[in-house]
Amino acid sequence: MNPKVNLYLRDGCGRCALYKTPECKVHTWKEELVHLREIILDCGLEEELKWGVACYTYGKKNVLLLSALKDYCTLSFFKGALLKDDKGYLEKPGKNSQAARLFKFTKVRDIIDLEPVIKAYVCEAIEVEKAGLKIDFKAKNELQLPEELKQKFRETPALEKAFNGLTPGRQRGYVLYFSGAKQSKTRSARIEKYAQKILDGRGFHD
């Protein structure tokens, strides 16, 4: 057991444990986290505190996170997309998430009832790491550009050059935002609004 994680469970805030900032908001899932922690440690993973939450590693490789949000606590697998999950227990943290998958819990009773299942998932995640398996992000990088952006590139070659010079993550951020608009005129308006940021080599959130 890592002493910093003890503080996270006791005080309800990993940031307090790391940075001693008592202004941080605390969670209300202590009992659930304690039960999940026991299950995880029983599987033989190393325990650390990273990003203000409990992180479990195998051979110094991140395997899963144990954390608490406002409405639930979670067990999040870094390479969850590689787990079988035949019964559909795992969820994506976001609609565009490609690697991470998580369990959500709101009751200690559910954790107790699912303990064998949770252990099986944790053990499978360890085997994934032992085998050196990796997430294939090829599809993530093969972006489907909206037609309005292609047209803008034809009109402004410098914009296309600048866009291609961005990191894959920044390119993806723009494409998701532009493509998220239902109407063509809205997509065009978004592209116009952010064209200069692209030309300046900045990402959507920069």
Side-chain angles (χ1 to χ4, degrees):
M1 291 185 178
N2 188 300
K4 291 182 178 179
V5 175
N6 290 340
L7 289 175
Y8 173 59
L9 297 179
R10 187 195 72 189
D11 300 333
C13 182
R15 291 188 181 87
C16 294
L18 282 172
Y19 309 115
K20 298 181 180 179
T21 53
E23 311 84 22
C24 296
K25 296 180 180 179
V26 299
H27 64 69
T28 57
W29 305 102
K30 294 181 183 180
E31 189 177 358
E32 287 80 5
L33 293 182
V34 167
H35 277 78
L36 287 169
R37 183 195 200 191
E38 291 174 354
I39 292 171
I40 296 167
L41 290 177
D42 198 39
C43 295
L45 291 171
E46 295 293 324
E47 183 177 69
E48 301 180 43
L49 192 71
K50 296 183 179 182
W51 310 288
V53 298
C55 180
Y56 296 86
T57 63
Y58 176 83
K60 300 187 182 302
K61 299 289 183 65
N62 295 327
V63 176
L64 61 93
L65 295 174
L66 176 62
S67 59
L69 301 176
K70 180 181 178 181
D71 298 322
Y72 50 83
C73 61
T74 71
L75 195 64
S76 178
F77 296 93
F78 283 88
K79 297 180 181 178
L82 297 180
L83 304 182
K84 294 186 179 70
D85 192 31
D86 294 333
K87 295 185 178 180
Y89 286 111
L90 301 181
E91 300 181 28
K92 288 185 176 183
K95 66 177 183 179
N96 297 311
S97 299
Q98 293 212 344
R101 297 290 187 274
L102 52 82
F103 272 108
K104 292 182 180 179
F105 298 101
T106 57
K107 297 177 183 177
V108 173
R109 184 73 257 170
D110 291 342
I111 295 170
I112 294 173
D113 291 342
L114 284 173
E115 180 173 342
V117 175
I118 297 169
K119 279 189 175 182
Y121 277 71
V122 173
C123 290
E124 185 183 355
I126 294 172
E127 292 303 315
V128 164
E129 208 55 60
K130 284 182 179 179
L133 302 182
K134 298 183 182 298
I135 299 290
D136 183 6
F137 288 104
K138 183 178 179 181
K140 179 178 178 178
N141 294 327
E142 292 177 350
L143 298 176
Q144 298 296 318
L145 303 183
E147 188 57 40
E148 294 79 6
L149 184 58
K150 294 178 182 178
Q151 179 59 37
K152 188 66 177 178
F153 285 165
R154 289 191 285 268
E155 297 171 357
T156 314
L159 183 65
E160 181 176 16
K161 182 178 180 180
F163 181 85
N164 290 333
L166 297 174
T167 62
R170 285 173 172 165
Q171 291 179 14
R172 181 173 171 78
Y174 279 121
V175 169
L176 289 175
Y177 178 65
F178 297 154
S179 301
K182 294 181 179 180
Q183 297 185 6
S184 177
K185 64 178 182 180
T186 306
R187 291 193 290 272
S188 296
R190 290 182 177 184
I191 293 167
E192 288 292 340
K193 181 178 179 180
Y194 285 92
Q196 190 57 53
K197 286 190 73 171
I198 295 173
L199 289 168
D200 293 339
R202 293 184 292 161
F204 180 74
H205 296 290
D206 294 346

